[in-house]
Amino acid sequence: MSVTSQVALTLRAVGGLTTAQIAHAHGVDEATMGTRISRAKRRLAEAGARFTLPVGDRDRAARAVAVMRVLYLVFNEGCTASAPVNASAVIALVLVFTVIALLE
């Protein structure tokens, strides 16, 4: 699965962002992003994918790219959200520093 699909699905499933918000973050229209998310869900279901911890440095590095992109987009969404106070930006920033510390 592409990093873009991983990120989009994670933003939807874990971050709780709407398809419109995810599409805006990726610079594509909502229909395109909806299709990507649906395909990603279908691929996971067909593969019987499970959430597992990374195995080895290579797997950890590959997953770190997607994790950092998700956190970056959650942070940006929190900063640009229409709500006056959005804690997701602060939480994402804290998680970024946590992930960096874990990768060192």
Side-chain angles (χ1 to χ4, degrees):
M1 182 180 307
S2 72
V3 172
T4 301
S5 294
Q6 290 174 12
V7 170
L9 190 56
T10 304
L11 288 170
R12 183 80 168 120
V14 180
L17 274 64
T18 66
T19 303
Q21 290 170 317
I22 298 166
H24 177 69
H26 281 91
V28 298
D29 62 82
E30 189 173 349
T32 300
M33 188 51 66
T35 301
R36 286 182 186 170
I37 291 171
S38 294
R39 285 182 191 155
K41 286 181 182 178
R42 188 173 56 248
R43 281 190 207 122
L44 286 176
E46 289 171 355
R50 301 178 58 127
F51 293 104
T52 60
L53 294 174
V55 179
D57 290 340
R58 187 172 183 177
D59 189 29
R60 187 177 328 276
R63 290 188 187 191
V65 169
V67 168
M68 294 303 279
R69 191 171 291 171
V70 166
L71 293 175
Y72 171 77
L73 292 172
V74 169
F75 174 76
N76 279 344
E77 179 58 32
C79 288
T80 61
S82 57
V85 177
N86 194 318
S88 66
V90 175
I91 293 168
L93 192 57
V94 169
L95 289 173
V96 165
F97 288 115
T98 303
V99 169
I100 291 169
L102 290 171
L103 291 173
E104 291 180 343

